[in-house]
Amino acid sequence: MLSNLRNRNLTARIRQPVDELWDRYLGIRTFGHHPGSGSPGDREWYMHYIPSSYRDVFAVLDRTGIGADDIVTDVGCGLGRVVFAASYRGAARVDGIDLIPSLVEAAKSNLSSSRLKHRDIRFHARNALDHDLGETTLLYLFHPFGPEILGEVIEKARNDRRSAGIRRALRIAYVNPVGEAVLNEAGWLRPVGHMPPRNEWVSNALHYRTAFWESTDT
Ligand SMILES: C[S@@+](CC[C@H](N)C(=O)[O-])C[C@H]1O[C@@H](n2cnc3c(N)ncnc32)[C@H](O)[C@@H]1O
């Protein structure tokens, strides 16, 4: 199914040439689309897969000050573009989790072909609600689900951190922050700014505002 998706994504690959070059350089294939499920207002509103442009991903990661002591989790990783970009930027470990098993299988196959295959990169086919976020120092979200699940995942991150006795701060980057009120009202996160969307003249990729938070419970 995914090879069909990739073939159909020829237009995107032509119209987003810089992203195509990054994919080739990293030895991966991250263009694709997978439908979401549910609708705004549903608890289980799960977004479709579509990757962000590499330029936007790198800008977001750089703004967080990503470094060699970071454990990054991309919640809703799809084919892994953000995961590989975070590893390329030098994170110690990067976890990608996604609800859709076929996307995660393709992400794992990307790992085996990638020039980053010897880095600590882990993909997991699971719901974000079932993933232990205790060790995560940088949580990356590109609008993966609606506000209710977001609130549950954020609360779980807090509990996982407490159970593991983690004292390091957690940073959160949230692209297209549809549920940002949930983070602002969580009571243990402080907003630390945002980045406006920036258009790219060589690309037809969509661009979004990104908002950032840091934990205050350390
Ligand atoms: C907009 S895509 C983000 C892709 C990637 N993070 C990026 O920035 O290029 C959102 C992804 O979230 C995944 N997703 C939605 N609900 C999820 C959940 N409850 N647990 C894990 N992944 C989920 C979808 O399957 C989809 O691949």
Side-chain angles (χ1 to χ4, degrees), residues 45-52 57 74-78 81-82 97-100 103 126-129 140 142-145 149:
W45 176 30
Y46 297 140
M47 295 309 294
H48 57 274
Y49 170 68
I50 188 157
S52 332
V57 173
D74 181 18
V75 169
C77 65
R81 185 175 287 189
V82 171
I97 60 176
D98 205 287
L99 202 55
I100 308 297
L103 291 174
R126 63 176 65 134
N127 194 314
L129 290 168
Y140 191 106
F142 171 16
H143 181 33
F145 30 63
I149 300 284

Side-chain angles (χ1 to χ4, degrees), residues 86-127:
S87 182
Y88 182 76
R89 277 296 196 254
R93 183 178 121 199
V94 191
D95 288 78
I97 60 176
D98 205 287
L99 202 55
I100 308 297
S102 58
L103 291 174
V104 175
E105 276 317 300
K108 285 180 178 171
S109 147
N110 272 335
L111 181 57
S112 56
S113 64
S114 171
R115 66 166 59 230
L116 301 176
K117 65 176 160 222
H118 300 302
R119 304 293 306 262
D120 193 350
I121 291 175
R122 309 175 192 186
F123 288 107
H124 315 269
R126 63 176 65 134
N127 194 314

Side-chain angles (χ1 to χ4, degrees), residues 173-187:
Y174 184 8
V175 182
N176 190 14
V178 169
E180 65 189 315
V182 171
L183 277 73
N184 288 332
E185 289 158 19

